[in-house]
Amino acid sequence: MGGPVTPVSPFPLRDVDLLDGVHSRTRDQMLHLAREFPVDRVLAVFRANAGLDTRGALPPGTWEDFGHPDEQPWSGADYPGPGVAPTASLLRGHYAGHFLSMLSLAYASTGDPLLLAKTDEMVAGLAEVRAVLAATGRYTHPGFLAAYGEWQFARLEDLAPYGEIWAPYYTCHKIMAGLLDAYEMTGSRQALELATGMGHWVAGRVLRLDRARLQRMWALYIAGEFGGMNESLTKLHRITGERSFLDAAGCFELDPLLDAAAEGRDVLAGMHANQHLPMLIGHLDQFAATGRDRYLDAATTLFDQVVPGRTFAHGGTGEGELWGPPGAVAGFVARRNAETCATYNLLKIARALFGRTRDTRYADYIERASLNHIVGSRADVTSDTSPEVLYMYPVDPGAVREYDNVGTCCGGTGLESHVKHQESVWFHAPGTLVVAQYVPSRLRFAGGTVTLRTRYPRDGAVAVEFDADFDGELHLRLPPWARTGTDVVVRPGPFRRGDVVRLDLPMPLRLVPTPDDPTLVSLELGPTVLLARDEATTTLPIAPAAHRHVDGSIAGHTTDGDLVSVFGRTFEPAWSGGDHRYHMYLRLADDEIAFLDTPTGVPDRHDGDGWSFLTGLWGSGGFPDTATFFAAVHAGVVRAARSGLLSRDEAIVVLKAAAAAHGPYEWTLPADIGAGDPLPVLRVDVAGDRTATGWYTTAPTVTVTTLAPATLEAAVGSADWQPVTGVVPLGRDGRHVLRARATDLAGRVVHATREVAVDTEPPVVRTRVRALGPDNVEITLDADDDVSGVDRIRWRTPETFWGVYQEPFTRALRDEPQILEVTATDRAGNTSAVTRVTLPPAG
């Protein structure tokens, strides 16, 4: 083993220019928003809370909105109490912190004086608000700065639940982080003064509390979510040298999670992912400040418990913001997977760990998640008002990307993510220059520039062009699919102006199985996760066996720009920013054994554990050479024949077909295997009204048959086996996995499964009308469908067309009553009857 690894550091944003490529598309679109969106709108919630003129500006909206009209900026002492205090929009201020970070990062990336002016304008506006709040004498420290009163922090100390309060320290962190970014990226001393004041105020609150009370606070679901408070406080300690900030950072720790990580225990199942990921970033900073291994061990262990065992193909994690069991990916696919905030924070952790360890698995994750999830989370549109990003980037069958997200947490992190794509490309150490990501960019370095020219991920040609003299080594990361015994290509110097280092990376098309189900796979072209365009909302089957090279890569695909066609389907990149209904995962469903362009006619039968010849052969993805491939074919044939899944004649056909497809090889079969007649070919047929969505909207008829004499049994899901005497009953609506098995006269058993999705009922629609004075009402529409899920809600009045409902809307009342019609459609295609709501006359 070698000696200690020398850490590498990323270059500052100001030293790296992002060039044209996949990433620059979202950068340009977000820079447009940064330049166009008025600072007054972001400051409006702060000014309203402080009693200042909002200058006619409306807040951004949704979570970042004005509070209740009767809400006051209460201190902890004068808060009137739950059920008495009228409150709303309790997370307001968080989005402003993200917006300030975006402006600061964007200025550092571009040097645009307009962005610097907007950063200064926003900091000055916050300083004005802070001065007004301090002058009231109402709060425990004059450094207090928020868009609501101090009461939420006091109530958290009394263990108030989510609903009465909403993550006050989370919002505090976003504001502090924005101010610290403004200081570090633009040099704003005023921003540092504001952040320092907030730090003193925070320290004054948390340092007086005992550890047990703090632990109960931070364990509260969402109410106790504190974001990266330990990160901001540790950064303040580094900048100012004040010990109290480091002590305060130590208050923002969840001891049971840290203790479990230290002991190697996995306790993440059921935990709120983004409530705990940001603190790991802070723990890495705390480790740097204190040298305590507890912090580094926690970040490393917990990251390993999430990646890859709890991450989806595009790098996202979680369902409904919560983690599932370890290794559960296929089993955790649902409607609300992969909160973008969580990926934003995982990328920060991976970047820090890569810099510390130079372990390429962290850089591999950065590539997967930043390219597919983060770039893919930004719609390919330009907007003056919205970040046009995703909250969730779902992975369920037939998902649709729901962009916009003004004012939400993921809308906030999205503001930042797309103006700093170059942050993880170039790293350095004494005598070493590292290229960790293949993102087109230009580095200012060694008195000149070094340019990374590539169309990656569209192709694998990479050129590093030196317009500077450098006497050290150039390190180029090899992606996982391009590795042949090494993960880094090292080119020794010296390099002189005009030198070019070239790398040609293969871009194989391959199927990547989920860790808990080898038959559920993603299709990936080089670093790009591909999404199948299809209107179905059930899992799409594919039959890839006849398309596989020995190394597992897929043959026979064609391209049209960024689109890929294979298996009779069209795929788009996960980074497209498109709006088609898509499928990130596909189901392997080869009915018969085949090799590259070589069919066999032999059924690919399954045993009771789901194993078949093809699933066993390709479960590891592929083979380094034909000798290893043929050895696996022979072993698989022997296993299948001995377990009764192949007759001897069928085994010989399979072995001959493998040789015909991939070259001659010699084989023998033990005399005792595969004797007797072929096993039954088991059929599961489903007949009924199957829509384009893949769902049956009337109860289907399911039959299980075989031509050879056999005893037939079936089971739905995990239910017990039952004899097949006719039509197989599925029971109630839902996504069913029908299992069937046939036992022949010799006692040999063959299995089959069939996924059947049934939803025969439309959604149930609800409407809520709330008076807004005598002349207006607010209308909220909702629908429930516990089977396939609600796809859309639509509404109209007699004088309007059907419109898709997005969020609560207001409507002016008239002299006469108005009729509002509402209907909803589920993902199976069922549409509810029209519900009519009568709006009262004005007055």
Side-chain angles (χ1 to χ4, degrees):
M1 299 294 289
V5 173
T6 302
V8 290
S9 301
F11 285 90
L13 292 176
R14 64 178 177 272
D15 288 344
V16 185
D17 297 327
L18 192 66
L19 303 180
D20 287 344
V22 168
H23 295 75
S24 65
R25 186 267 298 177
T26 70
R27 184 272 314 269
D28 293 344
Q29 290 164 339
M30 198 61 78
L31 286 177
H32 176 84
L33 179 69
R35 292 176 176 122
E36 294 296 324
F37 199 85
V39 167
D40 283 342
R41 290 195 61 187
V42 185
L43 291 172
V45 293
F46 289 88
R47 287 171 172 156
N49 179 66
L52 293 169
D53 181 5
T54 61
R55 305 181 185 181
L58 294 175
T62 61
W63 298 359
E64 191 77 1
D65 211 339
F66 292 131
H68 191 282
D70 297 327
E71 184 178 340
Q72 300 295 317
W74 299 294
S75 68
D78 57 21
Y79 170 63
V84 177
T87 61
S89 302
L90 291 178
L91 208 69
R92 60 187 185 271
H94 78 111
Y95 192 75
H98 287 297
F99 194 88
L100 181 54
S101 286
M102 173 184 67
L103 292 176
S104 306
L105 295 165
Y107 170 71
S109 297
T110 66
D112 185 344
L114 172 62
L115 297 170
L116 176 60
K118 292 188 75 168
T119 303
D120 290 342
E121 179 187 358
M122 189 164 176
V123 171
L126 291 173
E128 180 187 20
V129 167
R130 203 275 303 271
V132 171
L133 295 177
T136 66
R138 194 173 196 169
Y139 308 112
T140 57
H141 190 280
F144 173 71
L145 175 60
Y148 44 75
E150 199 176 1
W151 65 274
Q152 284 206 67
F153 299 91
R155 291 297 298 135
L156 175 60
E157 292 167 10
D158 289 335
L159 308 179
Y162 171 52
E164 182 187 350
I165 62 173
W166 189 355
Y169 277 109
Y170 174 94
T171 300
C172 179
H173 166 244
K174 303 313 172 190
I175 299 168
M176 289 184 71
L179 291 167
L180 289 169
D181 281 339
Y183 168 68
E184 294 194 313
M185 301 295 167
T186 75
S188 171
R189 300 296 303 182
Q190 187 175 41
L192 178 59
E193 188 271 330
L194 288 172
T196 302
M198 291 185 72
H200 287 143
W201 164 74
V202 171
R205 288 211 74 97
V206 298
L207 289 174
R208 62 183 176 82
L209 300 175
D210 63 66
R211 192 78 176 180
R213 174 56 58 98
L214 289 167
Q215 293 305 298
R216 293 180 66 188
M217 289 162 55
W218 309 145
L220 290 171
Y221 175 73
I222 292 184
E225 184 175 357
F226 57 74
M229 281 300 305
N230 54 348
E231 177 193 15
S232 289
L233 288 164
T234 305
K235 187 177 292 186
L236 267 178
H237 164 71
R238 173 173 55 79
I239 294 169
T240 67
E242 292 192 36
R243 176 72 194 191
S244 64
F245 295 142
L246 189 59
D247 293 340
C251 293
F252 291 91
E253 298 173 7
L254 192 61
D255 290 339
L257 189 57
L258 290 175
D259 293 342
E263 297 165 9
R265 291 184 290 113
D266 188 325
V267 297
L268 297 185
M271 297 188 75
H272 185 263
N274 206 51
Q275 183 165 347
H276 303 298
L277 285 173
M279 75 179 185
L280 300 184
I281 305 163
H283 289 332
L284 289 170
D285 287 346
Q286 288 172 282
F287 170 74
T290 67
R292 293 185 63 193
D293 289 338
R294 167 183 170 90
Y295 295 126
L296 178 60
D297 292 346
T300 303
T301 300
L302 292 170
F303 184 89
D304 289 345
Q305 290 175 353
V306 175
V307 180
R310 286 183 170 94
T311 50
F312 300 105
H314 60 359
T317 187
E319 156 58 19
E321 304 187 12
L322 306 179
W323 278 309
V329 174
F332 213 53
V333 170
R335 288 294 308 279
R336 286 177 50 77
N337 287 121
E339 182 187 9
T340 305
C341 277
T343 301
Y344 160 92
N345 283 306
L346 279 169
L347 284 168
K348 282 190 169 186
I349 300 165
R351 181 170 179 256
L353 290 174
F354 174 73
R356 179 169 297 281
T357 66
R358 295 168 69 168
D359 189 330
T360 53
R361 65 195 174 100
Y362 298 119
D364 294 342
Y365 175 76
I366 291 171
E367 178 172 78
R368 175 175 294 276
S370 63
L371 175 64
N372 294 291
H373 190 159
I374 297 300
V375 174
S377 72
R378 179 57 167 81
D380 190 7
V381 298
T382 299
S383 174
D384 295 350
T385 58
S386 169
E388 292 295 343
V389 294
L390 297 176
Y391 195 122
M392 302 286 181
Y393 194 154
V395 302
D396 61 314
V400 175
R401 281 165 282 198
E402 298 177 353
Y403 299 108
D404 188 18
N405 286 293
V406 173
T408 68
C409 55
C410 295
T413 54
L415 294 174
E416 301 178 38
S417 291
H418 300 283
V419 297
K420 59 171 186 169
H421 287 309
Q422 71 270 43
E423 70 175 353
S424 297
V425 179
W426 301 89
F427 292 76
H428 65 97
T432 305
L433 181 63
V434 177
V435 179
Q437 306 296 322
Y438 296 106
V439 177
S441 52
R442 180 177 292 109
L443 170 68
R444 281 178 283 280
F445 175 69
T449 63
V450 185
T451 301
L452 176 61
R453 295 198 188 279
T454 181
R455 295 184 69 250
Y456 191 90
R458 293 185 167 105
D459 67 42
V462 174
V464 180
E465 303 173 353
F466 283 86
D467 192 16
D469 294 336
F470 175 52
D471 293 332
E473 292 181 338
L474 175 67
H475 291 213
L476 304 169
R477 179 185 64 92
L478 286 177
W481 62 87
R483 292 174 187 164
T484 55
T486 181
D487 55 5
V488 176
V489 172
V490 178
R491 293 288 185 262
F495 299 97
R496 297 294 177 255
R497 295 176 189 270
D499 287 350
V500 179
V501 176
R502 300 187 186 278
L503 192 64
D504 194 8
L505 297 168
M507 302 292 278
L509 183 67
R510 63 203 190 282
L511 295 168
V512 180
T514 55
D516 50 330
D517 185 349
T519 71
L520 192 70
V521 299
S522 58
L523 182 66
E524 303 182 14
L525 180 62
T528 298
V529 175
L530 294 171
L531 311 176
R533 291 181 175 177
D534 198 285
E535 289 300 306
T537 55
T538 52
T539 307
L540 299 179
I542 57 170
H547 296 264
R548 289 190 188 260
H549 291 292
V550 166
D551 64 2
S553 62
I554 302 300
H557 69 280
T558 60
T559 59
D560 180 8
D562 291 332
L563 301 180
V564 176
S565 295
V566 70
F567 308 134
R569 301 190 180 279
T570 298
F571 295 80
E572 67 177 289
W575 42 259
S576 67
D579 58 5
H580 292 82
R581 193 180 292 278
Y582 66 88
H583 296 248
M584 190 172 293
Y585 288 109
L586 310 165
R587 177 70 67 191
L588 299 183
D590 286 286
D591 291 330
E592 66 177 56
I593 296 171
F595 301 97
L596 185 62
D597 296 326
T598 308
T600 67
V602 176
D604 188 43
R605 303 180 182 93
H606 291 72
D607 66 16
D609 296 322
W611 186 90
S612 71
F613 171 79
L614 286 177
T615 60
L617 180 65
W618 297 112
S620 61
F623 304 91
D625 50 55
T626 54
T628 309
F629 167 75
F630 285 135
V633 169
H634 188 270
V637 165
V638 170
R639 173 177 171 177
R642 281 192 166 140
S643 61
L645 300 180
L646 291 176
S647 70
R648 187 175 186 86
D649 289 342
E650 289 172 331
I652 293 170
V653 168
V654 171
L655 291 169
K656 287 182 176 179
H662 297 292
Y665 78 105
E666 303 222 352
W667 47 266
T668 57
L669 280 176
D672 63 331
I673 69 166
D677 296 328
L679 273 76
V681 176
L682 186 61
R683 289 178 55 92
V684 179
D685 295 302
V686 185
D689 183 14
R690 187 173 186 267
T691 69
T693 66
W695 288 80
Y696 291 87
T697 53
T698 58
T701 300
V702 181
T703 56
V704 178
T705 59
T706 182
L707 296 179
T711 301
L712 301 179
E713 297 170 284
V716 179
S718 59
D720 294 336
W721 292 104
Q722 300 294 329
V724 173
T725 58
V727 173
V728 178
L730 288 177
R732 62 184 183 180
D733 289 1
R735 297 179 186 264
H736 304 293
V737 177
L738 179 68
R739 299 180 292 135
R741 68 183 182 188
T743 305
D744 71 2
L745 298 178
R748 299 175 301 174
V749 182
V750 63
H751 288 252
T753 60
R754 180 75 177 266
E755 296 179 48
V756 187
V758 184
D759 187 354
T760 61
E761 298 293 332
V764 176
V765 176
R766 299 192 307 276
T767 62
R768 187 166 67 253
V769 179
R770 182 169 68 95
L772 298 175
D775 300 320
N776 293 277
V777 292
E778 179 186 70
I779 300 168
T780 302
L781 308 179
D782 199 4
D784 292 319
D785 189 290
D786 294 333
V787 182
S788 62
V790 176
D791 187 59
R792 65 187 181 274
I793 304 172
R794 297 186 300 155
W795 68 276
R796 71 176 179 184
T797 62
E799 70 273 17
T800 64
F801 57 86
W802 285 107
V804 177
Y805 173 76
Q806 299 290 338
E807 57 190 32
F809 60 94
T810 60
R811 189 159 183 86
L813 300 177
R814 301 178 182 175
D815 292 338
E816 300 294 328
Q818 301 175 69
I819 302 297
L820 185 74
E821 296 184 331
V822 184
T823 185
T825 302
D826 62 25
R827 286 161 56 87
N830 299 300
T831 299
S832 69
V834 173
T835 298
R836 290 176 174 81
V837 180
T838 301
L839 304 182

